[in-house]
Amino acid sequence: MTGKPHLPAGARRRWAGLGVLVLAVTLVAVDATVLSLAIPSISETLDPSGTQLLWIGDSYSFVLAGLLVSMGSLSDRIGRKKLLLIGSTGFGAASLLAAYAPSPGWLIIARALLGVAGATIMPSTLSLIRTLFPDARERATAIGIWGAGATAGAALGPLVGGMLLEHFWWGSVFLLNLPVLALLLVFGAWLLPESKDPKPGRWDVFSVVLSMVGVISVVYAVKEAAAHGLDSWVVPVAFAVGVTALTAFVRRQLRLETPLLDVRLFSDSRFTAAVVASLTALIGLSGVIFFMSQYLQLVRGYSPLKAGVAEMPAFVGAVVGGLLTAQVARRTGSRATLTAGLLAMGAGIGLLGWVHEDTTYLLLGISFLVVGTAEGVVYTLASDLVLGAAPADRSGAASAVSETAYELGTALGIALVGSVLTAIYTGALAVPAGTDPATAARAGESVGGAVEAAGSLPQPLGDQLLGSAKDAFVQGMNVAAWLAAGLLLLSAALSWYLLRARGGKPAPGAPNGPGAAGAVEPEADRLNA
């Protein structure tokens, strides 16, 4: 250990550089959930429809997920540090556009631009960890800290939003990005090393288009099917376009000498298990944050700050879970650790299926703590598995797979859980007789619309409408929680099955080099290296 900050290989510089990367990934993760507590304020100020409200929530994650693989591959070619700094600058510009959005459409576009910038940041952070920490034991610790930042950022978003909304307008949640990005640009330029693939080959633009069209079309079809059923022609058309594009993408990657994404990685059961675990865990976490933030404010009457504080156990659990992952996996093996994390997360979300308007906070706090801790373990371990699957010179593209699962899970969580909740809410809402059609339509859009509509009615009618809206919302929330819990339990069973061949601790003499031919490096070896 040299201890000299100006030396690229120095220990202090490595860990300081990790701090910059954690700051970056936390910022992007916070931005995915920070709007959750601002939804009532946005509804009142911009008057979006129910569909627009969902798009405000998930356009960021949809675009980010659609571009991550492409940007991960681009970072391997032009340099991970360079792309990280370019993306951070773009993130700041898009934050300004979002903060002062005058209409729902403007805000949706600004959130999409944030997704474009975020797609350049996320894969660069994880791949740079591999450059900073060639030693396997140090890298495992670093990934644990990075994973804690990623999962804790998603859980921290509501608290940050609540603190700002207590004193400022909803656009302030975006302006918060600017000082953080200034620090990121200054210290990132100083502390981070540059790394890239020395022989990157051609960046296939057609593959970029296919991956983006495929991911966004499939997710859009799932979202619309959940919200409106299969009656609309848009759903099968979007799904067919997405599946066709993804099929063409896979076939093209198999033919290219330097593919955008080495899809052969999915032939390894550990790699597949890690990606599926990340995806389903984020569906659960983002879904919980989406509906619980509304429940705490609009049903229980919490202020934004109080609601953010109420969700703090998820943040604390995510940090603890991420930091303990290496130690737990070293003792029990990846199969048991990953499966137990998914089971615990499913159980924690399932608890919310029994929540009512006056449920004691103790039950909510326990659920938040279990969900956050389990998510921290699952995502950190899955990221470690994915990163160990690829050669070092292709770590940007491999990291992008993990980040795509993260952002796709976030988008699907909001889309699927939000759509199920909205459908049940609309069906269960009983509008009192005598309510004019325009007010009834506004109340039927969302529980936020019902709260606003109730305030414009005479007190008896308003109270009746508000009570019905709260009951309908809780019904939808309960069903959505059970569905999310069921998905996580299925994912746990799948992970147990996929990891069966190499479950537990590796056999003596098992390979432990990153990117070993055709296999994911056994993570217990890397954690013990």
Side-chain angles (χ1 to χ4, degrees):
M1 173 174 171
T2 65
K4 297 180 181 180
H6 64 281
L7 294 177
R12 290 185 195 174
R13 193 181 188 94
R14 285 201 303 275
W15 292 104
L18 176 64
V20 174
L21 299 178
V22 170
L23 181 66
V25 75
T26 302
L27 176 67
V28 176
V30 165
D31 226 65
T33 58
V34 72
L35 272 188
S36 58
L37 290 178
I39 287 175
S41 178
I42 291 173
S43 296
E44 182 179 350
T45 305
L46 300 183
D47 193 27
S49 67
T51 301
Q52 286 177 321
L53 203 58
L54 286 177
W55 277 113
I56 288 171
D58 57 27
S59 61
Y60 171 78
S61 294
F62 279 173
V63 173
L64 205 161
L67 283 174
L68 272 168
V69 170
S70 302
M71 293 302 179
S73 180
L74 183 62
S75 74
D76 288 333
R77 286 161 168 77
I78 72 170
R80 290 139 195 162
K81 174 182 176 178
K82 181 186 294 184
L83 193 63
L84 175 65
L85 298 180
I86 292 172
S88 298
T89 304
F91 205 85
S95 296
L96 278 173
L97 291 176
Y100 296 101
S103 66
W106 181 296
L107 183 55
I108 291 170
I109 292 172
R111 291 278 287 167
L113 292 175
L114 279 168
V116 174
T120 67
I121 296 174
M122 291 290 275
S124 298
T125 61
L126 187 54
S127 54
L128 279 169
I129 287 177
R130 188 165 198 166
T131 302
L132 283 168
F133 299 95
D135 176 74
R137 177 178 284 276
E138 280 195 336
R139 186 169 68 247
T141 302
I143 290 176
I145 296 172
W146 176 90
T151 53
L156 184 62
L159 177 63
V160 173
M163 293 175 65
L164 290 171
L165 292 168
E166 195 78 6
H167 304 287
F168 306 103
W169 94 113
W170 60 264
S172 62
V173 301
F174 296 108
L175 294 182
L176 175 69
N177 295 339
L178 300 182
V180 178
L181 287 165
L183 289 174
L184 178 60
L185 288 169
V186 171
F187 287 101
W190 174 39
L191 293 168
L192 296 176
E194 185 57 280
S195 68
K196 60 175 129 177
D197 185 347
K199 298 179 180 178
R202 184 171 62 93
W203 197 57
D204 188 52
V205 177
F206 189 50
S207 293
V208 173
V209 174
L210 287 174
S211 67
M212 188 169 183
V213 170
V215 170
I216 292 179
S217 296
V218 169
V219 174
Y220 177 76
V222 172
K223 176 184 179 297
E224 289 299 302
H228 307 297
L230 301 174
D231 296 337
S232 172
W233 63 269
V234 174
V235 173
V237 169
F239 188 76
V241 169
V243 170
T244 301
L246 289 176
T247 302
F249 174 79
V250 171
R251 292 170 66 91
R252 188 171 180 82
Q253 302 317 294
L254 292 172
R255 292 196 305 269
L256 290 174
E257 183 178 349
T258 54
L260 196 70
L261 172 66
D262 186 0
V263 295
R264 293 178 180 87
L265 289 171
F266 284 95
S267 65
D268 188 291
S269 60
R270 282 179 174 260
F271 184 87
T272 302
V275 172
V276 171
S278 291
L279 178 68
T280 52
L282 262 297
I283 288 175
L285 180 66
S286 62
V288 166
I289 291 173
F290 177 79
F291 64 66
M292 287 306 297
S293 295
Q294 295 181 75
Y295 165 80
L296 291 171
Q297 289 184 87
L298 299 174
V299 177
R300 294 182 76 106
Y302 287 9
S303 68
L305 179 58
K306 187 176 180 181
V309 172
E311 295 183 8
M312 271 297 287
F315 165 71
V316 174
V319 173
V320 172
L323 295 177
L324 291 180
T325 301
Q327 183 178 356
V328 174
R330 192 157 56 235
R331 292 182 178 180
T332 65
S334 64
R335 189 187 192 197
T337 303
L338 195 64
T339 303
L342 291 167
L343 286 173
M345 196 170 183
I349 293 176
L351 283 176
L352 299 176
W354 282 272
V355 167
H356 300 292
E357 182 178 349
D358 55 354
T359 297
T360 174
Y361 174 75
L362 180 61
L363 179 65
L364 302 179
I366 291 172
S367 175
F368 291 152
L369 181 62
V370 171
V371 170
T373 304
E375 163 59 20
V377 171
V378 169
Y379 186 67
T380 302
L381 179 55
S383 298
D384 193 31
L385 284 168
V386 167
L387 189 61
D393 57 8
R394 299 285 294 161
S395 61
S399 301
V401 176
S402 176
E403 302 312 325
T404 299
Y406 183 102
E407 294 302 331
L408 200 55
T410 300
L412 283 172
I414 295 173
L416 293 177
V417 172
S419 298
V420 169
L421 194 158
T422 300
I424 295 176
Y425 167 83
T426 302
L429 179 66
V431 178
T435 305
D436 65 274
T439 302
R442 189 162 73 250
E445 287 281 352
S446 66
V447 67
V451 171
E452 183 183 349
S456 66
L457 295 174
Q459 187 171 4
L461 274 181
D463 290 346
Q464 190 176 346
L465 175 62
L466 189 58
S468 175
K470 289 181 177 181
D471 289 342
F473 181 85
V474 170
Q475 286 182 44
M477 184 184 77
N478 293 155
V479 174
W482 285 327
L483 290 175
L487 179 63
L488 281 155
L489 296 180
L490 287 174
S491 179
L494 180 61
S495 295
W496 183 260
Y497 173 77
L498 289 174
L499 298 177
R500 71 196 185 288
R502 303 181 211 169
K505 299 177 181 178
N512 66 349
V520 174
E521 172 191 358
E523 85 294 343
D525 274 359
R526 288 185 277 113
L527 294 167
N528 279 308

